[in-house]
Amino acid sequence: MAIINEADVAAVVAKVVEEVQVTDIHTHLYPPGFGDMCLYGLDDLLTYHYLIAEFFRHTSMDYHAFFQLPKERQAELVYQTLFIERSPLSEAQQGIVTILKELGLTVDAGKELPALKEQIKAIPLTEYVDKVFAAAGVKEVVMTNDPLDGTERRWWEKVGNKDPRFKAALRLDPLLNDYEMYFGELNKMGYRVGRYLDNVTLGEIRRYLKEWAKKLAAVYMAVSLPPDFKVPEDSTRARILEGCVIPVCRELKIPLALMIGVKRRVNPHLDLAGDSLGKADIRSIEYLCRVYPENKFLVTMLSRENQHELAVTARKFRNLMVFGCWWFLNNPEIVREITAMRLDLLGLSFIPQHSDARVLEQLIYKWKHFRRIIAGHLTTRYRELLTKGWPVTEKDIEKDIKELLGNNFWNFVGGR
Ligand code: FIX
Ligand code: ZN
């Protein structure tokens, strides 16, 4: 294949980045077969918790009164406040505008919301899901699946997932972060666990993890953790983590995803929008990677201050895979900075982004915006290589990008 000319490198990279079909390794999406759990359309998009937080910056409305309203009314208020009364400049606002554009919806002069909703409603759901995946350039997504949530569990028991584009991940937040509140749920499911972690209980938790990871065909297990997460430690969380999760992940040969740094419910009135962040201690990750070399850890951290040490830690441990610019970091300037730093320190050995989409169409904007950033960085780097006389072909670029946006994940997980 021909060596690329320096003058053409930007166009070639842009084309390859545009065409690559992404594996989105962390979302909160559900397949269309999961009824109401599958969120899509403008009401769900406008009531995304990122936008709700921004809505409350501009209103004195009572929190409770807002959340009591039907979703359609909440969406109207958010739209009026964040899109009609002012220009939508923030990343979450821009996201909505990107979605409308990429779906080819017509925004009339009055920016009428009902007219936009009608255009979406006119498309049958299965066709719409295909259209969104195609517009986003996404091949498959990994969900966040929690069998301790009764509603979700019933879908798995009654229907199961029939759409191969949706892969499962067994989420462990209630088990690890709120065991005292949830062990009763495990009893209901037939696991003979008690309030205290004796040997029978630890064995039953392992049985739960094994059985449900298999039932879901989970590609990894995952947990979000607070900034003060510590291991080793004499706590319920650390004992379940080291006594159950780590051995079962090792036995099933699946990674454990650690999402570290979230401070839940800093403002509980805001519901999901009320979570914040804090800097965590990298030593817990060093400990896990060092003490459990046979385990694999996918790690993302929420605080900007943790990003450099996380990338450095990945240089020390090959069983650590850094992924994504999570949540408050998923803003173009910060993504640009973190991705450049990771490319410098890790070359192509990381997973640069996940979408965290909760509503189907968010796949479109999250990946559209990220593609622009990664294309910019890669163009600069390939141009440097060419300047130095290092030949680069389109095939090389294609291989690299596929590695970043899909193969690194599947190779780490252990192939298909
Ligand atoms: O814990 C998580 O997986 C977080 O990503 C979410 O809980 C969070 O609300 C979110 O949607 C961030 O993007
Ligand atoms: Zn998430």
Side-chain angles (χ1 to χ4, degrees):
M1 199 179 243
I3 294 167
I4 297 168
N5 197 299
E6 254 184 85
D8 298 334
V9 70
V12 175
V13 171
K15 173 177 160 282
V16 176
V17 168
E18 195 59 40
E19 285 173 0
V20 67
Q21 292 295 301
V22 167
T23 298
D24 190 340
I25 81 152
H26 170 60
T27 73
H28 297 262
L29 299 176
Y30 290 94
F34 273 41
D36 286 353
M37 296 198 77
C38 169
L39 303 184
Y40 68 96
L42 277 162
D43 288 334
D44 285 316
L45 286 167
L46 289 166
T47 51
Y48 188 29
H49 64 76
Y50 290 27
L51 287 172
I52 288 186
E54 292 169 34
F55 164 75
F56 277 107
R57 305 282 308 149
H58 297 284
T59 177
S60 53
M61 186 173 180
D62 179 67
Y63 296 119
H64 185 64
F66 175 83
F67 286 110
Q68 286 292 92
L69 294 171
K71 186 164 67 185
E72 297 72 36
R73 183 66 194 130
Q74 292 179 9
E76 278 167 15
L77 287 171
V78 171
Y79 189 70
Q80 179 64 27
T81 308
L82 294 182
F83 293 82
I84 300 294
E85 288 169 14
R86 48 190 57 80
S87 297
L89 300 184
S90 77
E91 172 64 6
Q93 290 170 302
Q94 296 266 3
I96 298 282
V97 181
T98 301
I99 290 168
L100 299 179
K101 175 170 184 292
E102 295 302 312
L103 284 176
L105 304 191
T106 314
V107 186
D108 61 28
K111 305 180 189 123
E112 294 289 338
L113 182 57
L116 292 171
K117 283 193 192 177
E118 282 313 312
Q119 294 177 63
I120 295 180
K121 273 198 200 122
I123 312 169
L125 179 58
T126 43
E127 203 178 296
Y128 190 60
V129 176
D130 295 348
K131 189 178 162 80
V132 170
F133 269 76
V138 170
K139 180 164 55 181
E140 56 213 347
V141 302
V142 182
M143 306 176 274
T144 297
N145 304 105
D146 181 5
L148 294 185
D149 174 315
T151 312
E152 170 156 9
R153 184 165 73 243
R154 277 185 284 282
W155 282 108
W156 286 103
E157 281 166 346
K158 284 194 191 136
V159 184
N161 174 26
K162 305 204 168 51
D163 190 330
R165 289 172 297 190
F166 292 78
K167 315 284 180 202
L170 179 59
R171 185 73 173 223
L172 309 174
D173 286 38
L175 182 73
L176 286 171
N177 296 331
D178 281 312
Y179 179 75
E180 290 73 11
M181 258 176 68
Y182 281 92
F183 76 92
E185 200 62 31
L186 282 168
N187 289 152
K188 271 195 226 159
M189 294 167 76
Y191 297 100
R192 287 167 291 114
V193 297
R195 162 79 183 70
Y196 300 103
L197 300 177
D198 56 19
N199 284 338
V200 174
T201 292
L202 290 172
E204 283 293 275
I205 294 176
R206 284 193 291 269
R207 186 163 75 85
Y208 160 72
L209 292 170
K210 238 183 277 180
E211 289 179 353
W212 276 89
K214 283 184 185 158
K215 188 173 175 61
L216 269 51
V219 289
Y220 62 78
M221 294 191 200
V223 61
S224 78
L225 295 157
D228 61 3
F229 163 64
K230 193 165 173 272
V231 67
E233 184 184 69
D234 181 18
S235 66
T236 303
R237 179 199 286 133
R239 289 186 61 203
I240 299 177
L241 183 71
E242 291 198 83
C244 306
V245 176
I246 301 257
V248 174
C249 280
R250 194 166 54 235
E251 186 185 329
L252 300 182
K253 296 190 168 46
I254 55 176
L256 171 63
L258 301 167
M259 308 178 65
I260 308 172
V262 53
K263 251 199 262 172
R264 298 283 180 199
R265 299 174 75 75
V266 164
N267 181 354
H269 301 297
L270 278 173
D271 197 33
L272 274 184
D275 297 343
S276 191
L277 83 169
K279 185 178 186 295
D281 190 339
I282 196 76
R283 283 176 295 184
S284 295
I285 299 174
E286 292 167 351
Y287 167 82
L288 288 171
C289 293
R290 187 177 58 245
V291 175
Y292 301 105
E294 304 298 322
N295 279 81
K296 292 178 181 181
F297 301 94
L298 286 156
V299 178
T300 198
M301 298 183 88
L302 196 48
S303 160
R304 186 182 184 177
E305 287 67 32
N306 278 127
Q307 299 311 316
H308 184 247
E309 56 194 4
L310 177 61
V312 171
T313 307
R315 293 174 63 90
K316 311 297 141 195
F317 298 102
R318 62 185 167 181
N319 57 340
L320 167 57
M321 179 62 82
V322 174
F323 77 96
C325 299
W326 182 23
W327 198 345
F328 309 112
L329 299 171
N330 193 359
N331 292 310
E333 288 310 323
I334 299 184
V335 174
R336 209 166 275 129
E337 163 192 306
I338 293 175
T339 307
M341 187 259 299
R342 288 175 178 171
L343 281 166
D344 285 343
L345 281 166
L346 299 171
L348 293 169
S349 68
F350 66 105
I351 298 166
Q353 191 56 310
H354 67 268
S355 75
D356 236 309
R358 281 178 180 266
V359 184
L360 184 69
E361 300 91 329
Q362 290 166 347
L363 290 174
I364 298 175
Y365 94 79
K366 304 244 186 183
W367 286 108
K368 180 96 196 156
H369 293 190
F370 179 69
R371 279 183 157 93
R372 204 160 49 208
I373 295 169
I374 193 78
H377 282 321
L378 293 176
T379 299
T380 310
R381 279 154 211 259
Y382 290 123
R383 196 176 282 137
E384 287 233 353
L385 292 177
L386 290 165
T387 314
K388 292 171 193 158
W390 184 264
V392 179
T393 65
E394 185 168 335
K395 211 158 162 224
D396 294 327
I397 298 180
E398 244 174 57
K399 192 165 173 297
D400 294 344
I401 291 172
K402 284 189 178 155
E403 202 161 305
L404 285 172
L405 298 181
N407 293 342
N408 278 350
F409 174 69
W410 288 113
N411 290 335
F412 194 70
V413 164
R416 302 212 188 218

